[in-house]
Amino acid sequence: MDGPDDVMDPQGGDKVPDVPNNPSLAARVPPHDEIERIEDPVLEYDSPAEPSGSRQKPAPAQNFDKFVQRVNALIRETPRSAAANPLDYSELAAFLKSNEDLLLKRAGDLEAYLTECDSATHGAPIIYALYIMYESGEKKNSSAVKERCFEILFNYLSRNSLQRGQVMVVIDIYVRLFRKAHDFVLSTMRLDAGLELMALGIDLIVDRETNTLTTLHGYLFYLALQAHKPERALPYLFKVKNILNENLVRQTTTSNVTFSTSQSIIEPKSVLMYLRYGGEVAFALGDYKTSAAFYYSLITFPSNDVSPLMIAGHRHWVILEILLDEDTPLHARSACMSRAWRQEGVLYNRLASASRIDDARKELARIRCGIHCHPTYLTRVMRIGAGHGSYYDDEGLSMIPPMAKDAL
């Protein structure tokens, strides 16, 4: 299967696990004509915008002992009633970020420091220390350090001991930490542990019933597909009602720290990953209409640029439209997406056009699309055997059956 940034191979397709149909999924996610398109004010595929406006950074600590003392003092000064309000921890978060260089220099002491932290009150320092440890491990190319960070993070989350209020004030660091954890899971293939970590990470920062989208959702979906366990992603597949603000901008006045949001509350790529791999999860669970709905939202995402995720999703959507015998108009597709698709989608447009000529050509197009999606689709859904001349390469990806070429 293609990675988070890759485009599907036009000669084959993503390997989707063979999972029995799950009719309960349709009750969770409405058909595409009822799904609202996810809007985001910034549509560039780069890093989050830097904080705007003037701000005064707290002075960094003179040494590590002074750092620990100041962190403890800030935590003591914060009212216990502020546990659910990240604004009350904003001064602590600003101080942590002003000491990044110091912490990188003392990265070897951070695990010992974590043993002195009370997870009920030191959530923000714990997340920041783990992030710095991961950074240090990457710079030293130390797999042992990265594995230890993963284990410590997993332990904190599995005990459910961190406070949401403190974590939310460093939510940008939290998301970066999970991005590193996601990369570590893929490099070590610890997929089951990674799936559980992502689910715990989501549940810490949002409530499931709020249908709030986070960056972690896309990572969870991708790992579920890699593990051939798409059902693990089902509780997190929903119609998005809210998007978590992951890019808080901290603006400091003389005595108080205030919050405002950056132009983009979440990286657009996070939304695209949710739609791209959410569509694939729905397909793997046997709900092809919901899968097409996710891909439709993906390819009509308002943008000034085109992501490879959108192109890959468009290919899947065309195939599903043929398989479902539908012809949904794409009036909402952006101009840049339309231009990109004219280059990338020549074969798929020809296949879609051929499928509308007559029943015979439609059936041939459906055969080819079924093979393209996944070999088991033919026997599971279309009940077509190997007599149609399909064959496979060494990796198990299906090739074009000779008779299907006539459909073009």
Side-chain angles (χ1 to χ4, degrees):
M1 185 176 61
D2 51 321
D5 293 313
D6 296 333
V7 179
M8 185 178 59
D9 184 353
Q11 296 299 322
D14 290 351
K15 291 185 178 181
V16 183
D18 183 19
V19 178
N21 286 359
N22 190 335
S24 65
L25 183 58
R28 291 175 174 269
V29 186
H32 69 266
D33 56 348
E34 298 179 18
I35 287 185
E36 299 174 2
R37 287 194 300 138
I38 299 175
E39 305 284 344
D40 190 271
V42 171
L43 306 168
E44 291 135 4
Y45 303 99
D46 52 14
S47 300
E50 286 297 316
S52 57
S54 60
R55 60 175 183 171
Q56 293 179 330
K57 291 185 178 180
Q62 295 177 348
N63 54 54
F64 191 71
D65 290 337
K66 295 287 186 182
F67 166 81
V68 174
Q69 292 173 11
R70 182 57 181 157
V71 166
N72 291 337
L74 288 170
I75 290 174
R76 285 195 302 269
E77 293 167 6
T78 303
R80 285 285 182 169
S81 59
N85 185 5
L87 289 172
D88 293 299
Y89 291 112
S90 54
E91 188 174 355
L92 170 62
F95 179 73
L96 289 171
K97 296 195 174 187
S98 71
N99 284 275
E100 182 172 347
D101 291 341
L102 171 64
L103 295 179
L104 279 170
K105 292 178 182 177
R106 299 294 298 271
D109 299 322
L110 291 180
E111 184 173 352
Y113 168 67
L114 289 175
T115 63
E116 301 174 3
C117 292
D118 182 354
S119 58
T121 58
H122 286 63
I126 288 170
I127 294 300
Y128 208 84
L130 285 171
Y131 173 75
I132 295 296
M133 287 174 63
Y134 248 117
E135 281 276 286
S136 175
E138 287 181 339
K139 289 182 179 180
K140 297 177 181 179
N141 197 25
S142 173
S143 58
V145 171
K146 290 185 284 187
E147 182 171 5
R148 184 60 182 147
C149 289
F150 180 88
E151 292 172 350
I152 294 173
L153 177 61
F154 189 93
N155 186 43
Y156 277 122
L157 292 175
S158 61
R159 288 187 296 151
N160 194 28
S161 58
L162 298 176
Q163 282 188 3
R164 179 179 293 182
Q166 281 211 14
V167 170
M168 290 302 294
V169 81
V170 289
I171 186 62
D172 51 344
I173 302 300
Y174 185 82
V175 169
R176 292 181 208 171
L177 176 60
F178 272 83
R179 184 177 297 126
K180 293 179 183 297
H182 174 261
D183 293 342
F184 171 77
V185 168
L186 290 177
S187 66
T188 59
M189 294 304 291
R190 296 176 59 177
L191 298 176
D192 286 332
L195 274 170
E196 187 170 353
L197 180 74
M198 290 298 161
L200 291 170
I202 293 171
D203 293 340
L204 175 60
I205 55 178
V206 295
D207 297 321
R208 292 190 191 183
E209 62 271 15
T210 62
N211 287 16
T212 300
L213 173 63
T214 74
T215 293
L216 276 60
H217 283 83
Y219 296 151
L220 173 68
F221 290 174
Y222 187 71
L223 292 178
L225 292 164
Q226 285 286 322
H228 288 196
K229 295 181 179 179
E231 67 280 358
R232 295 280 296 272
L234 181 57
Y236 302 92
L237 195 68
F238 48 68
K239 177 181 178 180
V240 175
K241 296 180 180 178
N242 305 287
I243 297 178
L244 185 67
N245 182 357
E246 297 178 352
N247 293 330
L248 294 172
V249 177
R250 296 156 181 82
Q251 294 180 316
T252 310
T253 60
T254 53
S255 59
N256 298 318
V257 179
T258 59
F259 273 59
S260 64
T261 59
S262 63
Q263 191 179 7
S264 177
I265 63 175
I266 192 172
E267 288 190 62
K269 181 180 176 182
S270 299
V271 182
L272 299 182
M273 285 185 65
Y274 174 81
L275 295 172
R276 166 69 173 90
Y277 298 115
E280 196 163 340
V281 165
F283 181 90
L285 292 171
D287 191 333
Y288 308 115
K289 285 187 175 292
T290 295
S291 179
F294 268 79
Y295 290 135
Y296 180 86
S297 295
L298 173 64
I299 61 183
T300 58
F301 186 81
S303 65
N304 296 321
D305 198 0
V306 176
S307 164
L309 292 167
M310 299 171 74
I311 296 294
H314 205 320
R315 291 171 174 172
H316 282 264
W317 181 78
V318 171
I319 290 169
L320 283 166
E321 284 280 290
I322 296 172
L323 293 175
L324 295 170
D325 196 15
E326 294 183 354
D327 186 15
T328 306
L330 282 173
H331 301 311
R333 189 172 59 183
S334 67
C336 62
M337 182 64 187
S338 297
R339 287 193 299 269
W341 186 246
R342 279 196 291 270
Q343 289 184 321
E344 301 285 347
V346 174
L347 173 64
Y348 296 85
N349 289 338
R350 289 167 60 193
L351 187 60
S353 298
S355 70
R356 302 187 188 105
I357 294 176
D358 53 44
D359 290 341
R361 288 179 178 268
K362 180 184 295 184
E363 188 64 16
L364 287 172
R366 293 180 73 233
I367 292 170
R368 171 144 182 228
C369 289
I371 295 174
H372 186 101
C373 283
H374 192 252
T376 59
Y377 183 90
L378 293 177
T379 55
R380 191 181 70 210
V381 179
M382 300 176 66
R383 313 232 180 260
I384 295 175
H388 290 284
S390 59
Y391 59 97
Y392 306 97
D393 62 16
D394 293 337
E395 296 180 354
L397 296 177
S398 56
M399 307 297 286
I400 302 174
M403 67 174 297
K405 293 180 180 178
D406 297 334
L408 300 179

